[in-house]
Amino acid sequence: MFETAIAGSLPKPAWLAETETLWPQWRSSGAELEAAKADATLLWVKLQEDLGVDIVGDGEQARQHFVHGFLAQVEGIDFEHKVKMGIRNNRYDAMVPQVVGELRLAGRVHAMEAQLARAHTRRPLKFTLPGPMTIVDTVADRHYGGDREGRIRMAFAFAELLNQEARALQADGVDIVQFDEPAFNVYMQDAADWGVAALERAVEGLTCKTAVHICYGYGIKANIDWKHGLGDEWRQYEQVFPALAKSRIDQVSLECFRSHVPLDLMRLLDGKDVMVGVIDVASDEIETPEQVADTIGNALQFVSKDRLFPCTNCGLAPMSREVAVRKLDALAKGAAMARERHG
């Protein structure tokens, strides 16, 4: 009951990459970099276990960014000529690669870190991939036409590639494959109209648990400023949750603690596991175990005990390692306290 998990990313050690930034530059290259990525993956698997996190992940240590890490192994993507583009409905600018041809996987994407993590933990293992709609929102289209129909075709093309990698991750022994779709909270109608369908294509044929993570973004200034303008009630989930409730996706990860999301929206996910965000990623303030347990208790009004999984609101990549460790400690201790209260 109340098995804990992280949303996905964790801070990279200073010897691996730049710290406390969203697109960090690597400290080394070649074989030395690959070894450092493996070392960082093992470090965070061990730290998660030591801190008491029940469902562990690789912390996305081998990826510069949660979207571009996947795209690095996709043919038809031009990383040499990145362009500046507004993403998440022009919330902030990013340097993004261009789609210049038909999309194909050049080979396995995340075999190293998935197999390494699986070999070094007996705990359930979750692995994250970017969702099709969010990928489309994080690349510049120079091949599919640039219009709405082109975006849809491109999303389903990416969904096919994601499905290939997800099936391989399942074969690696991954227990949960999660797709990150922050774009669902930006383009709500498109998410309901075709985003969930593209996501279902990405999970086709999987027998492991499947999940989707939908949040209000990393704790960076552009996202924090955007949230300040969303008003007293954040109802973005209301448009996409009904479509997800009808889908084959097993679990939905959502933002909760220190947000303005009405908790009763969780009712729209009846029949799904709900990964409830009990750790704020937009502040360095450390939650107390009591706060975590209280958030879990509040969510129990709308989610049954056996379907509630305490989680972080989003990834912790831009944070300091010390803050991330203390937050994960609070997550585990708060879940233990909730078990005592509600067990």
Side-chain angles (χ1 to χ4, degrees):
M1 184 172 68
F2 306 148
E3 291 177 282
T4 55
I6 57 171
S9 68
L10 291 165
K12 292 178 173 63
W15 42 262
L16 173 63
E18 294 176 311
T19 59
E20 299 182 49
T21 186
L22 200 51
W23 268 280
Q25 296 300 306
W26 301 115
R27 300 291 193 192
S28 57
S29 61
E32 182 181 351
L33 175 59
E34 295 310 303
K37 290 177 179 179
D39 291 346
T41 299
L42 290 178
L43 169 69
W44 272 115
V45 167
K46 176 61 173 170
L47 280 174
Q48 288 171 84
E49 290 185 338
D50 289 351
L51 292 165
V53 176
D54 300 301
I55 301 168
V56 303
D58 70 312
E60 301 178 7
Q61 296 298 291
R63 314 174 217 183
Q64 186 185 44
H65 180 264
F66 80 103
V67 174
H68 293 175
F70 178 80
L71 296 180
Q73 284 294 101
V74 176
E75 296 176 355
I77 302 288
D78 181 4
F79 271 95
E80 295 298 316
H81 303 93
K82 290 182 181 179
V83 297
K84 181 184 286 189
M85 188 181 84
I87 65 174
R88 313 297 179 263
N89 199 23
N90 294 312
R91 191 187 311 161
Y92 59 94
D93 290 337
M95 296 301 295
V96 301
Q98 302 185 70
V99 177
V100 295
E102 290 299 316
L103 300 169
R104 293 179 297 274
L105 283 184
R108 281 299 309 277
V109 184
H110 297 301
M112 180 277 288
E113 56 267 44
Q115 293 170 11
L116 189 66
R118 180 70 288 165
H120 286 84
T121 185
R122 293 187 175 90
R123 297 190 186 187
L125 177 64
K126 181 172 78 168
F127 206 91
T128 58
L129 294 170
M133 176 178 273
T134 294
I135 295 180
V136 167
D137 195 49
T138 321
V139 295
D141 178 21
R142 298 292 182 269
H143 180 74
Y144 286 90
D147 58 4
R148 183 176 188 273
E149 292 306 313
R151 286 171 64 86
I152 295 173
R153 288 190 294 113
M154 182 164 52
F156 276 87
F158 278 122
E160 168 64 31
L161 306 188
L162 289 164
N163 183 253
Q164 293 174 31
E165 179 65 14
R167 287 173 182 249
L169 290 170
Q170 177 178 273
D172 291 334
V174 169
D175 300 291
I176 304 166
V177 176
Q178 174 183 293
F179 296 86
D180 295 337
E181 282 286 18
F184 278 14
N185 257 359
V186 183
Y187 312 104
M188 287 82 72
Q189 191 59 55
D190 281 347
D193 288 347
W194 57 266
V196 173
L199 188 62
E200 288 207 273
R201 174 64 192 95
V203 305
E204 195 171 295
L206 295 180
T207 56
C208 65
K209 286 279 188 181
T210 58
V212 60
H213 170 68
I214 315 169
C215 68
Y216 289 81
Y218 282 116
I220 60 175
K221 185 179 185 301
N223 291 336
I224 294 170
D225 291 346
W226 171 63
K227 288 192 279 189
H228 285 161
L230 293 179
D232 294 333
E233 276 200 345
W234 302 352
R235 306 196 69 89
Q236 285 75 13
Y237 288 137
E238 197 164 27
Q239 293 190 53
V240 69
F241 277 4
L244 285 171
K246 297 175 184 176
S247 76
R248 295 192 297 270
I249 303 297
D250 299 307
Q251 303 179 333
V252 179
S253 170
L254 54 88
E255 187 161 328
C256 184
F257 183 63
R258 291 198 185 123
S259 78
H260 295 292
V261 173
L263 295 183
D264 63 357
L265 293 182
M266 295 184 207
R267 283 200 179 109
L268 299 175
L269 294 172
D270 184 47
K272 302 295 183 185
D273 292 342
V274 182
M275 289 183 277
V276 177
V278 299
I279 297 294
D280 181 19
V281 302
S283 169
D284 284 351
E285 181 180 343
I286 309 301
E287 292 78 2
T288 66
E290 289 80 8
Q291 286 175 314
V292 171
D294 288 347
T295 304
I296 293 170
N298 292 336
L300 284 174
Q301 300 173 73
F302 310 105
V303 183
S304 63
K305 294 178 186 178
D306 61 320
R307 289 197 174 275
L308 197 157
F309 294 77
C311 191
T312 57
N313 276 347
C314 186
L316 301 175
M319 291 186 157
S320 74
R321 175 171 159 182
E322 178 189 2
V323 168
V325 166
R326 292 176 65 193
K327 281 180 174 281
L328 294 188
D329 183 56
L331 169 66
K333 289 178 178 175
M337 184 176 293
R339 293 183 197 109
E340 293 177 2
R341 292 180 181 178
H342 306 286

